[in-house]
Amino acid sequence: GENVEQHPSTLSVQEGDSAVIKCTYSDSASNYFPWYKQELGKGPQLIIDIRSNVGEKKDQRIAVTLNKTAKHFSLHITETQPEDSAVYFCAASTGNAGNMLTFGGGTRLMVKP
Amino acid sequence: KAGVTQTPRYLIKTRGQQVTLSCSPISGHRSVSWYQQTPGQGLQFLFEYFSETQRNKGNFPGRFSGRQFSNSRSEMNVSTLELGDSALYLCASSSTGGANVLTFGAGSRLTVL
């Protein structure tokens, strides 16, 4: 089955700096790659997603890039703010398996004011 | 538009008991998925229901079961509870099947003593 690895497990940045989280996947059939943000006491919230027919997608301060050949995708957050502090999860899905997502292990991002 | 509602939010059970968790999806969503979140194993897929039919099942023992009703509400049941079943159980809904955006609820935190 699919295996998703996520790095780093923790990331500390200064407010205003950029943060990058990287994920690799194993199943070349995967074609949907969402990123979720989870705050304490809440469920994961989708922040951005990308499909395999697109190499890059941007939404304000957040961007995701996908390299299908290398089977890796990355989340980029620019101009980080304290409210960006949370746990971020990447995930992958083949689409043929319904809505089954395989998640990475998560990255705890801490933005220091 | 109301989000995904999970009940109860917190519960404590003892080993050997059983538990039933409930999930009400976003109105109009026909797919409901369940995930288990633990510090050690991360987010793991349990099963997905679409139009009252189980479409996918993760690698969990038969003690874990679920169902979906005609109004798309879903329940999951865990029988003969073990200490290792202590986790946050997350429900997510989607409008259709096949690599679509999942909206998660806040989860039900189960503690097994």
Side-chain angles (χ1 to χ4, degrees), chain B residues 87-109:
Chain B
L88 180 67
Y89 290 90
L90 292 159
C91 167
S93 75
S94 178
S95 57
T96 62
N100 279 289
V101 173
L102 294 187
T103 302
F104 282 86
S108 293
R109 182 164 297 280

Side-chain angles (χ1 to χ4, degrees), chain A residues 31-32 36 38 41-46 49 51 89 93-105, chain B residues 9 31 33 35 37 43 45 48 55-57 88 90 94 96-107:
Chain A
N31 57 12
Y32 176 61
Y36 285 86
Q38 187 174 26
K42 298 183 179 180
Q45 178 187 12
L46 180 76
D49 58 8
R51 298 186 186 269
F89 293 95
S93 170
T94 64
N96 296 325
N99 283 308
M100 183 175 76
L101 293 177
T102 300
F103 282 88
Chain B
R9 288 293 313 280
S31 167
S33 304
Y35 289 80
Q37 186 174 26
L43 279 154
F45 173 79
E48 180 196 5
R55 183 156 61 177
N56 289 295
K57 190 177 192 308
L88 180 67
L90 292 159
S94 178
T96 62
N100 279 289
V101 173
L102 294 187
T103 302
F104 282 86

Side-chain angles (χ1 to χ4, degrees), chain A:
Chain A
E2 174 67 280
N3 182 50
V4 178
E5 294 191 357
Q6 183 172 346
H7 299 280
S9 57
T10 59
L11 179 59
S12 182
V13 300
Q14 208 66 37
E15 182 178 358
D17 287 350
S18 295
V20 180
I21 302 171
K22 298 182 180 182
C23 289
T24 60
Y25 61 98
S26 61
D27 190 346
S28 56
S30 289
N31 57 12
Y32 176 61
F33 308 91
W35 286 87
Y36 285 86
K37 175 184 180 182
Q38 187 174 26
E39 297 174 314
L40 200 60
K42 298 183 179 180
Q45 178 187 12
L46 180 76
I47 55 172
I48 195 167
D49 58 8
I50 192 167
R51 298 186 186 269
S52 59
N53 58 347
V54 176
E56 184 174 358
K57 185 176 179 181
K58 190 174 181 180
D59 182 4
Q60 299 183 349
R61 297 185 298 108
I62 293 173
V64 58
T65 58
L66 171 65
N67 184 327
K68 288 174 55 181
T69 303
K71 288 191 277 188
H72 67 71
F73 55 113
S74 301
L75 177 72
H76 304 253
I77 305 175
T78 59
E79 300 172 19
T80 54
Q81 302 166 1
E83 50 266 37
D84 293 330
S85 297
V87 180
Y88 291 81
F89 293 95
C90 62
S93 170
T94 64
N96 296 325
N99 283 308
M100 183 175 76
L101 293 177
T102 300
F103 282 88
T107 296
R108 181 173 298 279
L109 174 64
M110 294 169 284
V111 181
K112 296 178 287 186

Side-chain angles (χ1 to χ4, degrees), chain B residues 30-75:
Chain B
R30 295 165 61 192
S31 167
V32 173
S33 304
W34 290 89
Y35 289 80
Q36 181 196 64
Q37 186 174 26
T38 60
Q41 299 299 317
L43 279 154
Q44 292 187 291
F45 173 79
L46 279 158
F47 27 66
E48 180 196 5
Y49 287 87
F50 184 80
S51 295
E52 301 179 67
T53 301
Q54 186 181 84
R55 183 156 61 177
N56 289 295
K57 190 177 192 308
N59 189 26
F60 279 82
R63 299 186 296 107
F64 292 80
S65 63
R67 59 178 176 169
Q68 186 180 33
F69 302 95
S70 58
N71 61 358
S72 292
R73 190 178 70 86
S74 177
E75 290 181 347

